[in-house]
Amino acid sequence: MTSANLITVESSTLIKPRQTRRGEANALRKGLAKVHRRYQPGLSCAVPRGMASKVVARVSSHNWHRNPDLVELRRSGYVPYTKRNDRHYVPKPMRVHARSEACEALTALSQVMAANCDYNPESDYPFEIMAPMEQLAHYMGVLHVYNNGRKAYDVALNALSVMEQLQYAIVLHDKDTDSGQNKPLRIWLSEKFFTSRGIAVDEIRQWLGQFRTWAIKNGLTETLRTKYERHLLRIEHIGIDLKNRHSLRNRLKQIKRWVVSPDLAREKERAVGQLEDALENIENGDRLDNVLDSLQDRIKDSAKVRNKPGRPFYQAYANWTGKTVPHKVAQLEMQLKRDKPGLLTSDPEAYYQLLLERAGQL
């Protein structure tokens, strides 16, 4: 065998390298520095006044490095959404403190969800986010649109996955009829979303009662109900149905029982009973709108009377503060708030009674 034939045989037996796209992105950058992140998460939408602004203010000052739920989750490790049904997947433990980028994303997502949440206690399932995930990503400022029209918001999706694993949010994943992809279609806030930020249940009930009173006073109950029905129609168009999701419906009903105070439920039953009696006793010559207006006025008057109970300890404390130096009053209040935090919102009369006892007035 000649040397020429040997070269021909060796060249014919050489294995051609496999074509790969590795490094293609680096080649396309043509020496430019790699982008660390395209956008910085933040709140870029209008926040409604009332309960939404109060919740946004609370979640804005939250320190994620001191969140015990997040610390425990990072010790055990995150579970990606694609691996949740894989029983052989073992999560990888992570360092306790999350990076600043992750904390910024969690804070921005919490602010956006709190600003676009349904706080109407008359809704079937409270605390539902009234905007799709793509809109939430746009409000966070992390929605990226490529030249071919494809949209990506991985930062928002990863933050939502962490919130779901923390049990701060309840997410319903299903296939989107428009794109055919599996996406988070409906989102609700759980009670841990509020309690983890230091918001007590009595404070939430008070805010919901104020929201309901404001809606009745301004005649917006029908508008809010229409908005919620329009949201349900949009969800029905997507093809999401909760009839066969019994565990999800029971969980959402549990949240509603937790947040709706017994006094508010009794007030609703009383108003419904008065409405039924008024409709039964209506005469032929009476106009329906006049009957409903008079009934609404009676309900408002009765609510004002019930909301003005006797407050003897508060009145006694107010009289005492008018005769005492201000720095002594401030020192006494600061010490009691440090010893019993949350007592002022849960039981105001007991709070002022303790102040009077510590001041030596009882």
Side-chain angles (χ1 to χ4, degrees):
M1 182 180 293
T2 61
S3 59
N5 295 335
L6 181 60
I7 294 175
T8 305
V9 172
E10 290 181 354
S11 61
S12 62
T13 58
L14 289 177
I15 300 175
K16 294 183 179 180
R18 183 174 61 89
Q19 295 294 331
T20 178
R21 298 184 62 182
R22 182 170 181 173
E24 183 180 357
N26 296 331
L28 292 176
R29 286 205 312 268
K30 297 180 180 179
L32 299 178
K34 185 178 180 181
V35 179
H36 176 60
R37 60 174 177 174
R38 298 182 182 273
Y39 309 102
Q40 182 175 0
L43 179 64
S44 60
C45 66
V47 180
R49 297 174 59 185
M51 184 172 179
S53 61
K54 296 178 181 178
V55 178
V56 170
R58 290 291 186 91
V59 302
S60 301
S61 59
H62 183 66
N63 187 4
W64 287 100
H65 294 298
R66 302 180 63 182
N67 188 307
D69 299 328
L70 182 61
V71 170
E72 188 64 26
L73 178 62
R74 292 182 65 86
R75 282 176 179 171
S76 59
Y78 295 157
V79 179
Y81 175 72
T82 56
K83 300 293 184 180
R84 291 184 184 178
N85 296 326
D86 187 3
R87 60 179 181 177
H88 301 292
Y89 178 77
V90 179
K92 180 181 178 181
M94 310 172 69
R95 64 174 187 173
V96 172
H97 290 283
R99 294 184 180 273
S100 59
E101 292 89 345
C103 296
E104 291 176 0
L106 290 172
T107 301
L109 181 61
S110 301
Q111 292 174 340
V112 169
M113 289 196 301
N116 294 274
C117 183
D118 177 25
Y119 297 105
N120 187 9
E122 301 295 335
S123 300
D124 297 336
Y125 306 113
F127 303 139
E128 182 176 3
I129 308 303
M130 306 297 289
M133 190 61 200
E134 180 179 328
Q135 191 70 21
L136 296 180
H138 174 66
Y139 290 154
M140 289 176 60
V142 296
L143 179 64
H144 182 71
V145 183
Y146 290 90
N147 296 330
N148 57 359
R150 187 176 72 89
K151 299 179 181 180
Y153 40 92
D154 294 341
V155 175
L157 290 177
N158 294 334
L160 181 63
S161 178
V162 174
M163 297 278 285
E164 188 177 4
Q165 294 179 62
L166 290 173
Q167 298 181 1
Y168 291 174
I170 301 173
V171 185
L172 174 60
H173 298 268
D174 208 337
K175 183 175 290 186
D176 188 6
T177 56
D178 297 334
S179 62
Q181 297 178 350
N182 200 22
K183 295 182 178 181
L185 299 182
R186 297 185 73 173
I187 307 173
W188 295 270
L189 299 180
S190 67
E191 66 275 10
K192 292 188 66 177
F193 179 87
F194 301 96
T195 56
S196 63
R197 320 301 169 92
I199 306 177
V201 57
D202 296 328
E203 198 169 2
I204 299 175
R205 290 174 178 176
Q206 180 183 1
W207 291 349
L208 289 178
Q210 294 175 355
F211 179 86
R212 184 174 179 273
T213 305
W214 168 80
I216 294 176
K217 181 179 179 181
N218 294 274
L220 298 177
T221 53
E222 191 67 24
T223 305
L224 294 174
R225 187 64 188 177
T226 305
K227 180 181 178 181
Y228 184 72
E229 291 177 354
R230 193 183 307 117
H231 170 71
L232 294 180
L233 288 177
R234 182 182 66 85
I235 294 300
E236 185 178 356
H237 170 70
I238 298 176
I240 306 175
D241 190 8
L242 297 182
K243 293 181 180 179
N244 297 327
R245 304 178 184 271
H246 305 290
S247 60
L248 177 59
R249 288 193 290 109
N250 292 334
R251 180 70 178 93
L252 297 176
K253 290 179 181 179
Q254 181 184 5
I255 296 176
K256 186 170 184 178
R257 289 193 300 267
W258 172 81
V259 76
V260 175
S261 63
D263 298 335
L264 191 61
R266 286 193 296 268
E267 183 181 352
K268 179 181 178 181
E269 293 178 359
R270 190 184 301 110
V272 171
Q274 293 180 4
L275 179 60
E276 292 177 353
D277 295 339
L279 293 178
E280 289 178 358
N281 299 329
I282 190 173
E283 298 180 359
N284 296 329
D286 296 338
R287 291 178 53 183
L288 181 60
D289 54 350
N290 294 334
V291 173
L292 294 179
D293 291 340
S294 61
L295 176 61
Q296 185 176 3
D297 294 337
R298 290 200 302 270
I299 293 176
K300 288 182 179 179
D301 295 338
S302 61
K304 290 180 181 179
V305 173
R306 287 193 302 271
N307 292 333
K308 291 183 179 179
R311 303 178 63 184
F313 292 109
Y314 171 74
Q315 295 295 337
Y317 180 73
N319 295 332
W320 175 77
T321 53
K323 304 175 184 178
T324 312
V325 290
H327 74 273
K328 184 177 180 181
V329 176
Q331 183 180 3
L332 192 65
E333 292 180 354
M334 188 181 302
Q335 184 178 1
L336 182 57
K337 288 181 179 179
R338 189 186 306 112
D339 296 341
K340 294 184 178 298
L343 182 61
L344 179 59
T345 57
S346 61
D347 193 353
E349 280 296 289
Y351 172 79
Y352 293 114
Q353 183 181 1
L354 284 177
L355 285 176
L356 290 174
E357 290 178 354
R358 295 191 176 188
Q361 301 298 316
L362 291 180

